[in-house]
Amino acid sequence: MSAPNLTPDVTGNPWVEVFFDPGDLDPDCVRLRIYRQAENRTWLVRGGVDIAPGVAALDFECPFQSSATYRAMQYDAGDAELGYTDPESITLDVEGTWIHNPLDPARGILVEMDDASLQQLQRPTLGELVYAEDAVVGRRLGSRRRGIVAADLVLNIDGMANIAGFEAMLGDYEEDQIGILCVRTSEPVLLPRTFFASSDGWTVQDKTIRRGGEWVRVAATVDEAEPPYPGLVVPLLTYDDLDAAYADYDDRDAAYATYTAQDRDYSLAGLATA
């Protein structure tokens, strides 16, 4: 059985661990490309591009309340395809709306979808109607339908830490960011469950801060965008975290039966910066 093991985690920004047991793969497999199929779309899983057998991918872009099916293409040392693994499906049972920077998903925040959001959506199909000589009706020449454009996205954010987290996703005076946010929601809105929003500017409006509260309203007119290349990601667990958890390599080696078990101990994530 070569289907992946799928393990959800909803303790923070929700994710699904996608892990293939090396013993279940083709004996000649040296690397994998993991794909997710959801909402009639196929995506390369971020962190699951050309990874070695025994390495897990953490999918922070899995949609909420919608079936997602995972499988991987296997490759040998000569880059020949060995075929897909068996598929496995999961539904991430999460209520609400989370947003994050695709390149740093562990710092995602929980937000509230405002009623003013997404009152209407537009997906243009650009083209023109051309009339041949003596034609009664025109012939349309155009491109395929595009993604969502000019959608009003309005979110409410509670808590100064979350407000600061949102600002960090967009960048500040010292740190540049990509200007794309991943929005995942279970709300009954006319939006894909996994949506990458691009905007040239967000408006931040005080709701309760001047009265001693901690609510702001953020709004932007957004377009649907391709996410950054899925081979790019900030890892959740780092070797610095492992170094912070154990006094020396002997203690670390004694704590885990395999290196794979060590690399999947996400309880240590962030320990180095705590």
Side-chain angles (χ1 to χ4, degrees):
M1 180 66 176
S2 61
N5 298 308
L6 305 178
T7 306
D9 187 299
V10 295
T11 56
N13 189 20
W15 48 271
V16 174
E17 183 199 53
V18 186
F19 178 74
F20 292 87
D21 189 317
D24 293 336
L25 299 173
D26 189 294
D28 293 327
C29 177
V30 299
R31 66 180 177 93
L32 296 167
R33 284 197 163 199
I34 303 176
Y35 294 87
R36 175 194 349 104
Q37 293 177 305
E39 297 188 292
N40 297 318
R41 297 179 72 178
T42 300
W43 306 78
L44 266 173
V45 172
R46 186 168 305 281
V49 180
D50 298 333
I51 60 175
V55 175
L58 306 186
D59 187 11
F60 282 89
E61 297 167 10
C62 180
F64 302 157
Q65 305 298 343
S66 181
S67 179
T69 300
Y70 294 87
R71 63 175 182 167
M73 175 58 75
Q74 306 169 86
Y75 296 87
D76 67 12
D79 289 334
E81 294 182 353
L82 300 174
Y84 282 104
T85 64
D86 294 333
E88 187 64 45
S89 299
I90 191 173
T91 297
L92 197 51
D93 187 13
V94 174
E95 299 290 341
T97 303
W98 283 81
I99 61 173
H100 68 265
N101 181 321
L103 299 184
D104 194 7
R107 294 198 290 178
I109 61 173
L110 179 65
V111 300
E112 177 185 273
M113 186 76 70
D114 193 274
D115 289 342
S117 270
L118 309 170
Q119 295 295 314
Q120 61 182 19
L121 296 183
Q122 179 184 4
R123 291 188 58 191
T125 306
L126 302 183
E128 62 177 324
L129 204 60
V130 177
Y131 288 85
E133 186 176 354
D134 292 330
V136 177
V137 296
R139 182 180 298 274
R140 180 179 173 82
L141 302 178
S143 60
R144 61 183 297 181
R145 192 181 186 195
R146 296 187 176 182
I148 294 168
V149 299
D152 292 326
L153 185 60
V154 186
L155 306 171
N156 298 313
I157 302 177
D158 179 28
M160 299 307 296
N162 283 336
I163 295 169
F166 176 79
E167 293 287 352
M169 292 178 199
L170 301 176
D172 56 27
Y173 296 105
E174 298 292 335
E175 184 177 5
D176 292 335
Q177 292 293 354
I178 58 175
I180 296 175
L181 298 181
C182 179
V183 181
R184 293 181 296 165
T185 186
S186 65
E187 298 292 333
V189 293
L190 299 173
L191 195 71
R193 295 291 190 192
T194 300
F195 179 75
F196 292 93
S198 171
S199 175
D200 291 335
W202 287 80
T203 299
V204 181
Q205 178 184 356
D206 178 10
K207 291 189 70 175
T208 67
I209 291 176
R210 294 183 67 183
R211 300 192 300 275
E214 294 191 345
W215 282 92
V216 298
R217 182 177 186 256
V218 299
T221 299
V222 301
D223 298 320
E224 186 173 9
E226 281 287 331
Y229 179 65
L232 302 175
V233 68
V234 175
L236 181 65
L237 177 67
T238 68
Y239 284 111
D240 287 342
D241 294 328
L242 292 166
D243 289 342
Y246 297 98
D248 53 42
Y249 288 115
D250 290 338
D251 287 348
R252 185 195 299 178
D253 290 342
Y256 304 102
T258 64
Y259 285 116
T260 295
Q262 169 189 279
D263 294 342
R264 297 174 69 195
D265 187 1
Y266 307 115
S267 66
L268 304 181
L271 192 61
T273 57

